[in-house]
Amino acid sequence: MGKKLLLQHINEPGIQTFEVYRKMGGYASVEKALKTMKPDDVTEEVKKSGLRGRGGAGFPAGMKWSFIDKKSEKPRYLVCNADESEPGTFKDRYLMEKIPHALIEGMITSSYALGAKTSYIYIRGEYMYIVRILEKAIEEAYANGFLGKNILGTDYSLELYVHPGAGAYICGEETALLESLEGKRGNPRLKPPFPAIAGLYACPTVVNNVETIAAVVPIINNGGDEYAKIGIGKSTGTKLISASGHINKPGVYEIELGLPVEEFIYSEEYCGGIWKGRKLKAVVAGGSSVPILPTNLILTTAKGEPRLMTYESLSDGGFATGTMLGSGGFIVMDETASIVENLYTFARFYHHESCGQCSPCREGTGWMEKILHRIEEGRGSMKDIDLLADIAKHIEGNTICPLGDAAAWPVSSAIRHFRQEFEDHIKLQRCPLSR
Amino acid sequence: MSLVKVTIDNIEVETEPGTTILQAARKIGGKGVPPAMCFYTSLEGSGGKCRTCLVKVTRGSDKDPRPMPKLVPSCRTVVQDGMVVQNITSPEVLQARRAITGFLLLNHPLDCPICDQAGECYLQDLSYDHGLAETQTIEERRTFVPIDIGDKIKLHMTRCILCYRCVMVADQLTGQRVHGVLNRGDHCEISTFITRAIDNDFSGNMIDVCPVGALTDRTFRFSSRVWLTKPFDAYRDCHKCSGKTVLWMKNDQILRVTGRKDKYGELESFICNDCRFEQKNVEDWVIEGPRIIERHSVISQNHYEQM
Ligand SMILES: Cc1cc2nc3c(=O)[nH]c(=O)nc-3n(C[C@H](O)[C@H](O)[C@H](O)COP(=O)(O)O)c2cc1C
Ligand code: SF4
Ligand code: FES
């Protein structure tokens, strides 16, 4: 059994309540941090832990915290990114729904480290029922003296708010999120300046994913060094994986980073193998935005080494033969899945979600969707394949925010690894696989 | 303050610190100036959106000589001492620009023959300079029904490239904000919120900042092709604005009044709606003389010698 740091007590009856959560050792990190550590010591532990952002980009959390402008006279903010809208990703939902106090505890300890006096949880509007769960948890934390004025009798005070978005994937991009939180249209900002210098209301701000913030709890409780012992190299600790698709046991799993991909897919502890005794065809390993890989390249790297669930191993070989850990949305496709059909679904999503600020993404996402629709319906031409690849290439890297890249990568990787399937669609003038 | 030195397409120029690459390139002038469809010097926060001005930074600065990993928008990237930039000397930049031009034209109706902006349209110029000769798309274009925003301004959303300039004018120049962007992605619409008319003294400037034919002057619509009118610098005493304008005339009739734009389409000063829409008699103005249009567009093809 892999070690569990986040979901350890998930099956404890009543763990949603403050009382049971506290009984299971909850809020110890707040006590430890506020009573025995200086804010910078907390940051130092997070640095030592090697924790990397769990929202997709994998940026070292401690380093991000140390960029925050502490010389500024302005207030500082911690904003939790609970917008979770990437297709294939549903781990934050699971954590917040099942064990909401883990996030609240992480928010308090992290806010203390950053010197934030007001913090926000920005959550996607579709998670309305979780808003209620979190608000109840926050209420309990206030009632028990873990939020509000003079927490645990110290001179540290913190106000915590939950703010629901209005249902936009783009508001998960951190600067669009901040715009939205300020009550404006959720358009991403041009960077620099980065949020650590000018974020919410132009004040120094850190934006972190739900899972990143929750991971601060075991890091402070057990020490950064202890956390760093789990995992391999620069991929330390545990990671929540949202497993979906053609597997026997879809769901959210907490894995130790470094687990072989093959074991994750086939072992009974995790996905339990491909359903209906079918064969594996392809995997999207880190949420819809990352490059799709065929069976041979997801199980082993191009060098023939076993592929591991780490940031480094998954991206081994670059985009030519590798992919990314991303947000940990692990989508498995069996031999009956149509790559073109799935890609068309993704393309529709990105077209629908582009904010429309910059021309390559605004126009390119719709264009790719139309071409993919045409190919899937058997009305494509051979020229379309290169045109698609060309559009993706010209969106990539040329946009304001990474949504453009996220729309382009699935397309270019699908053509790279499954070109034959596109050609079959065009020759047969129909999808050879869809029912 | 000491000046910073930047090299653009092998030409060195010294600029004030804080200058953008685009401004530095404009200081050099000529063919090496990146096209800018959304940036507008006097509008705060403008730029960065259309991506036509992307350039390659092959050397960050003397302090940090590393090249920048991606192409950067020259309109929003500040020069550093010792920076080296490639614009038209970089095949990568030209290729990206061609692609961006394609993106901007993808849903554009290409209705230049019936568009009032034809001849002074920055998208026309961009396509001429950077576009492909043939279309790559067979897809249906998205369309919108033209609407009136206010009694003097027409909006053809089909032609809009979402530069956000007009929104910024409405936001920054005029008191009340009734105009913004609705929806997302390629369904975005510039709109007055719930079709409320834009009614204030400076709203007409939205027409002047629009790089394409999305916002046009209803008092001028369809009365002449722009290159058949002759521009004159003129002024009048106006208590609302500078009163310095350009009159676009046919024979001795004033067909339209605009602000004075430089070759990058930027206004010397914003003018009021009174000057723009209401003063169409020659007696209302003191004419200073013919205005030379420096742009290389069709509009500069007036021949004063034939007057
Ligand atoms: C289009 C887009 C959507 C994103 N959505 C999310 C999201 O839903 N949740 C999230 O944590 N990060 C999301 N991100 C990443 C954030 O911009 C940011 O990197 C992250 O919240 C930082 O937190 P971390 O360092 O803890 O991962 C998104 C990025 C982009 C470009
Ligand atoms: S890349 Fe797409 S989502 Fe991001 S700013 Fe540009 S148009 Fe908006
Ligand atoms: S002018 Fe620079 S991005 Fe539009």
Side-chain angles (χ1 to χ4, degrees), chain B residues 233-244:
Chain B
D233 280 341
Y235 73 87
R236 63 185 273 269
D237 276 335
C238 177
H239 66 280
K240 286 182 184 157
C241 69
S242 67
K244 289 184 180 165

Side-chain angles (χ1 to χ4, degrees), chain B residues 8-257:
Chain B
I8 304 174
D9 286 342
N10 305 318
I11 302 168
E12 206 177 88
V13 64
E14 292 200 320
T15 69
E16 303 281 320
T19 309
T20 61
I21 298 175
L22 180 70
Q23 286 161 329
R26 283 183 179 178
K27 207 169 160 188
I28 300 172
K31 275 224 171 274
V33 183
M37 301 286 290
C38 69
F39 175 78
Y40 206 84
T41 310
S42 53
L43 295 174
E44 200 192 321
S46 69
K49 298 191 194 308
C50 71
R51 318 302 279 180
T52 57
C53 72
L54 291 178
V55 294
K56 192 178 168 86
V57 175
T58 54
R59 186 175 192 272
S61 65
D62 282 342
K63 253 198 246 148
D64 182 0
R66 288 176 302 172
M68 292 191 181
K70 297 184 200 173
L71 302 183
V72 297
S74 58
C75 66
R76 291 286 295 262
T77 308
V78 172
V79 297
Q80 308 290 338
D81 203 20
M83 184 184 263
V84 179
V85 179
Q86 290 183 343
N87 179 33
I88 53 174
T89 51
S90 158
E92 194 188 332
V93 168
L94 294 179
Q95 199 192 35
R97 202 164 285 157
R98 192 183 319 127
I100 307 277
T101 308
F103 288 132
L104 289 174
L105 291 172
L106 188 72
N107 277 307
H108 189 82
L110 302 175
D111 59 345
C112 313
I114 54 153
C115 175
D116 270 328
Q117 190 89 359
E120 57 176 3
C121 173
Y122 283 84
L123 188 57
Q124 254 183 344
D125 294 353
L126 185 76
S127 323
Y128 189 77
D129 289 342
H130 297 282
L132 289 173
E134 278 177 46
T135 181
Q136 291 180 292
T137 175
I138 57 169
E139 262 70 44
E140 210 171 291
R141 286 159 204 265
R142 75 145 154 49
T143 52
F144 296 92
V145 179
I147 54 170
D148 296 329
I149 53 174
D151 61 341
K152 300 292 195 301
I153 305 172
K154 190 89 179 173
L155 168 65
H156 280 267
M157 192 55 218
T158 39
R159 297 172 185 156
C160 173
I161 61 155
L162 282 167
C163 67
Y164 278 66
R165 282 179 184 173
C166 63
V167 177
M168 291 173 183
V169 165
D171 231 12
Q172 294 171 25
L173 210 61
T174 65
Q176 131 217 55
R177 189 184 199 284
V178 289
H179 160 228
V181 178
L182 301 184
N183 299 329
R184 239 175 10 209
D186 61 11
H187 342 282
C188 270
E189 256 179 273
I190 299 294
S191 178
T192 53
F193 191 57
I194 333 223
T195 60
R196 247 165 77 197
I198 291 201
D199 178 22
N200 61 59
D201 286 342
F202 282 81
S203 62
N205 291 293
M206 299 197 307
I207 300 168
D208 276 351
V209 300
C210 181
V212 296
L215 292 168
T216 50
D217 181 341
R218 287 182 69 196
T219 66
F220 173 63
R221 271 166 70 79
F222 303 140
S223 50
S224 171
R225 306 274 29 171
V226 288
W227 61 88
L228 299 177
T229 62
K230 300 218 179 291
F232 292 89
D233 280 341
Y235 73 87
R236 63 185 273 269
D237 276 335
C238 177
H239 66 280
K240 286 182 184 157
C241 69
S242 67
K244 289 184 180 165
T245 64
V246 179
L247 308 180
W248 300 80
M249 305 190 44
K250 210 172 196 174
N251 305 320
D252 48 9
Q253 235 190 318
I254 300 176
L255 294 189
R256 114 179 133 142
V257 181

Side-chain angles (χ1 to χ4, degrees), chain A residues 52-59 61 64 81-86 91-92 169-175 177 191 207-210 212-213 401-403 406:
Chain A
R52 291 169 65 173
R54 304 297 194 219
F59 193 81
K64 187 189 274 188
N81 189 342
D83 194 59
E84 192 168 59
S85 318
E86 174 112 339
K91 62 180 178 87
D92 297 340
Y169 172 56
I170 191 57
C171 290
E173 194 282 336
E174 57 186 12
T175 57
L177 185 157
K191 287 175 263 190
V207 182
N208 270 137
N209 174 255
V210 171
T212 315
I213 291 170
C401 88
L403 190 143

